[in-house]
Amino acid sequence: MLIRRTLKKVAIVGLFALLLVPGLESQAYAQHELAGSRDASSKQGMVVAVSPDGAAVGAKILKQGGNAVDAAIATAFALAVTHPSAGNIGGGGFMLIHPSDGGPPIFIDYREKAPLSSTRDMYIDGGSRKNHRYVGVPGTVRGLKLAHEIYGSLEWSKLVEPAVRLAKDGFSMHAGLAGSLNFEVKNSINDEFKRVYGKADGTQWKSGDRIVLKDLGATLDRIAKQGTKGFYQGETARLLVEEMKKGGGYVRQADLDKYRARVRTPIRFKYREYDVYSAPPPSSGGITLAQMMGISEQFDLKSKGRWSTETNHIMIEAMRRAYANRAMYLADADFVSIPKYLTTKSFAKYLSTTIDLKRATKSDSLGPRITEEPESKETTHFSVVDKNGMAVSNTYTLEAAYGSEVVVRGAGFILNNEMGDFNGKPGVTNRRGRIGTPANIVEPEKRMLSSMTPTIVGKNGKAYLVTGSPGGRTIINTVFCVTLNVLEFGMSAREAVDAPRMDHEWFPERVRFMGADKPRFATLVKELGAMGHNVQDTNGQGDANTIMIKDGIYIGAADYRYGAAAGVMGRQ
Ligand code: GLY
């Protein structure tokens, strides 16, 4: 709450800064070039990320002639410094790449894996997830390197170097980060986290303070010079394993040696004339999105209107059904078999026939009641497009805010607590959203089920919309809302990102709606309630940093809700 409120304040400051500039967009990037702003447009390239410094690094790489993958790699390393709650080298994620040459999009899976010594019941007793035991084998550095090997055009070291400089020289903190760190440092039980991220004199961080991350800078320097060896072997690996042993964690050198990022085929489906590409397993994102979009396509939602009761009832029912299937079938496809029909049009059509247009469906009626671990809402998403139209949609995470809060002593980076994304209590069910289905149960080397949904919509073989979001299980619904807003309702990028979002996850049996407290939506909320929906207000959902490409112009829409920035390159 505190973090969210503080970040909102920053976003509003950013908005005023933009409004002070005459001529809005065209002037905005003249004055805010390589800096933060809420909206931006360019013909040359675009990076939209949560951190102005991170976006600026990516934008600079584009300006130096790098392509979208180069810029994405540089942005990801920079966010590991400037957005420490989710930007990372000690976590994992997914990168979706839409090439500019009409070739098929590819997906890089750098999700963390369960350590070799993992067992099915290792989390049966629960306990705090802010500790060494929940750390999965990190995938980010191998994932970014794999993307570079396939598509990179600039030298690797050049892409890591800006992050090295940010860490070693320090960077100026915005109010959102200051508030977030003050809160976490006060509440953390990890001494090294307190030492590295607390202010040396023990006072509170404030906007404009400079933070230097010396050990992290040295680790990034090793990665810049040695590539993956700078992380998975040698000094960094030694320090990581030592940290694990000291704190009772499971990751060992053998885990680091065995970890590989994977190239996978994205989930692909048609929505009217558009080609939608999204995350395959071990993410649940693409398959769940395909079902929700597929169900929506069966109804002429456009004629019903975006804020009609009928449209929102259908969207909620689509969410309910797709999330029920998510819980029952989805997990790491290297370990479990996932039914192929889940993404077909005929299945979406069948699901649409099960919707009663007058009444909310009871979630219990959609299958055995099974439960899933609640997911943290942290994670971060950024979108990139280069001057040739190559697009990258990247979502990566430490799982909770600041992950496990375990900072590797001497190496300065934060480790994930991604093992919490497995169903830790096999078979244990409750109505609060815990899921204990067999598919996503811990096994050595398995990747835990994710909700991260980096998505690119193509039109005539070219990238048209690049989007994604943080938000735990709400991620898929955020992407669903943004994508439908554009493809069905013809909204601009800004309108689509700003529109209030909804979230239903099958269980718990409730709809969270960002507009629930707004007089404008009072009738909608009342009518949904009368149909049997339990509609609740929510103060925020996601951070969908989005790019739309229209008539050759890249329109960047940062999601101001959560403190965001658009870095741009070039002028029109
Ligand atoms: N830990 C967030 C996700 O993978 O969806």
Side-chain angles (χ1 to χ4, degrees):
M1 273 295 283
L2 171 77
I3 304 168
R4 209 172 276 277
R5 245 185 270 131
T6 322
L7 288 173
K8 205 164 179 181
K9 225 187 277 169
V10 177
I12 290 165
V13 171
L15 172 60
F16 283 146
L18 180 63
L19 292 176
L20 290 174
V21 180
L24 283 178
E25 284 188 357
S26 58
Q27 291 285 323
Y29 55 82
Q31 300 216 357
H32 291 254
E33 194 176 6
L34 308 184
S37 62
R38 183 174 174 255
D39 292 280
S41 65
S42 171
K43 279 185 174 168
Q44 298 299 310
M46 179 73 60
V47 182
V48 184
V50 67
S51 143
D53 287 324
V57 163
K60 203 164 173 185
I61 291 292
L62 291 178
K63 200 160 186 144
Q64 289 166 2
N67 64 24
V69 169
D70 293 322
I73 293 166
T75 303
F77 279 118
L79 293 180
V81 181
T82 63
H83 187 61
S85 65
N88 69 82
I89 54 173
F94 304 121
M95 183 184 286
L96 176 61
I97 302 164
H98 194 303
S100 55
D101 61 5
I106 71 156
F107 184 84
I108 303 212
D109 166 3
Y110 57 96
R111 180 71 162 166
E112 299 93 324
K113 285 169 85 165
L116 289 158
S117 60
S118 304
T119 60
R120 171 191 159 90
D121 292 332
M122 64 199 285
Y123 301 116
I124 202 96
D125 296 330
S128 168
R129 295 188 188 180
K130 292 273 178 193
N131 72 41
H132 296 68
R133 292 180 60 240
Y134 276 89
V135 177
V137 186
T140 297
V141 177
R142 279 215 197 276
L144 299 179
K145 191 70 171 61
L146 182 58
H148 186 256
E149 279 158 17
I150 301 171
Y151 282 114
S153 73
L154 298 184
E155 239 175 79
W156 169 258
S157 59
K158 205 173 168 142
L159 308 179
V160 192
E161 192 54 36
V164 175
R165 291 271 56 92
L166 281 166
K168 286 190 174 176
D169 302 344
F171 64 96
S172 167
M173 205 177 269
H174 57 68
L177 180 57
S180 166
L181 284 179
N182 288 335
F183 178 83
E184 295 294 331
V185 166
K186 181 165 165 251
N187 292 297
S188 180
I189 51 161
N190 187 294
D191 289 343
E192 184 64 357
F193 182 83
K194 284 176 180 289
R195 187 189 72 77
V196 170
Y197 284 103
K199 211 166 162 179
D201 64 5
T203 60
Q204 299 263 297
W205 291 111
K206 54 187 189 326
S207 171
D209 280 351
R210 206 163 188 77
I211 181 166
V212 174
L213 300 161
K214 208 168 125 278
D215 292 345
L216 177 59
T219 298
L220 287 164
D221 206 22
R222 287 192 286 277
I223 295 169
K225 293 186 173 121
Q226 302 164 30
T228 52
K229 285 189 184 147
F231 185 87
Y232 293 91
Q233 291 172 29
E235 179 72 351
T236 313
R238 186 184 66 72
L239 291 166
L240 196 168
V241 172
E242 203 171 286
E243 182 67 50
M244 286 283 97
K245 286 182 180 163
K246 262 194 208 141
Y250 300 99
V251 179
R252 295 290 181 269
Q253 185 61 51
D255 294 296
L256 299 175
D257 290 342
K258 284 197 88 174
Y259 185 88
R260 292 288 178 276
R262 295 266 176 250
V263 173
R264 301 200 189 269
T265 306
I267 296 294
R268 176 190 177 160
F269 61 93
K270 276 276 199 209
Y271 187 86
R272 309 206 191 284
E273 73 268 35
Y274 302 98
D275 292 298
V276 185
Y277 300 93
S278 194
S283 176
S284 56
I287 293 179
T288 308
L289 183 67
Q291 287 169 59
M292 297 193 292
M293 296 291 287
I295 293 170
S296 304
E297 201 179 15
Q298 304 304 316
F299 302 91
D300 181 10
L301 296 185
K302 189 171 185 175
S303 72
K304 299 180 200 307
R306 176 63 181 90
W307 300 112
S308 71
T309 304
E310 223 176 335
T311 291
N312 287 279
H313 170 65
I314 289 165
M315 286 176 72
I316 295 164
E317 292 303 331
M319 291 173 186
R320 190 195 309 274
R321 283 156 178 76
Y323 273 72
N325 291 327
R326 175 192 183 279
M328 278 182 269
Y329 300 115
L330 302 189
D332 183 349
D334 291 345
F335 283 73
V336 298
S337 160
I338 296 175
K340 293 250 178 305
Y341 64 79
L342 290 174
T343 54
T344 61
K345 288 281 170 210
S346 53
F347 185 57
K349 198 166 181 175
Y350 159 71
L351 290 175
S352 73
T353 63
T354 67
I355 297 176
D356 179 340
L357 291 174
K358 300 259 174 291
R359 297 287 316 157
T361 305
K362 289 269 168 253
S363 287
D364 273 324
S365 71
L366 295 177
R369 185 153 54 79
I370 46 186
T371 58
E372 189 169 5
E373 297 286 341
E375 274 181 38
S376 148
K377 301 220 183 312
E378 289 296 329
T379 293
T380 190
H381 174 82
F382 60 85
S383 299
V384 184
V385 183
D386 68 22
K387 63 179 188 294
N388 296 318
M390 176 191 259
V392 172
S393 181
N394 189 93
T395 314
Y396 73 152
T397 189
L398 288 165
E399 166 52 7
Y402 303 92
S404 61
E405 284 181 9
V406 172
V407 175
V408 175
R409 271 164 281 197
F413 65 93
I414 303 174
L415 285 164
N416 69 83
N417 59 351
E418 215 72 53
M419 292 294 283
D421 273 0
F422 280 115
N423 298 348
K425 298 193 180 185
V428 175
T429 61
N430 68 35
R431 288 181 169 272
R432 287 171 35 223
R434 182 187 286 276
I435 291 185
T437 41
N440 187 38
I441 279 170
V442 187
E443 291 180 60
E445 291 205 83
K446 193 173 180 179
R447 287 161 152 94
M448 54 297 282
L449 183 63
S450 172
S451 299
M452 292 188 283
T453 314
T455 296
I456 299 178
V457 178
K459 196 173 163 185
N460 303 324
K462 301 247 179 252
Y464 169 63
L465 185 73
V466 188
T467 194
S469 178
R473 252 181 272 168
T474 69
I475 291 174
I476 322 169
N477 284 330
T478 296
V479 173
F480 173 44
C481 290
V482 171
T483 309
L484 202 68
N485 287 343
V486 173
L487 305 194
E488 183 70 17
F489 298 99
M491 288 188 196
S492 67
R494 170 52 56 206
E495 288 166 338
V497 168
D498 283 358
R501 297 170 190 143
M502 255 178 190
D503 177 63
H504 194 298
E505 301 173 6
W506 180 45
F507 283 109
E509 205 154 0
R510 64 155 184 240
V511 186
R512 287 202 155 150
F513 177 40
M514 288 172 68
D517 63 339
K518 310 236 171 347
R520 178 184 163 205
F521 297 113
T523 306
L524 170 62
V525 172
K526 198 165 147 231
E527 288 180 1
L528 287 172
M531 294 171 91
H533 295 291
N534 171 17
V535 184
Q536 298 176 6
D537 182 29
T538 177
N539 66 348
Q541 181 183 316
D543 185 29
N545 295 315
T546 297
I547 301 174
M548 184 189 273
I549 301 135
K550 219 172 164 191
D551 305 323
I553 299 181
Y554 308 155
I555 301 157
D559 192 336
Y560 68 94
R561 281 186 190 92
Y562 207 37
V568 294
M569 178 231 172
R571 291 146 209 256
Q572 281 188 63

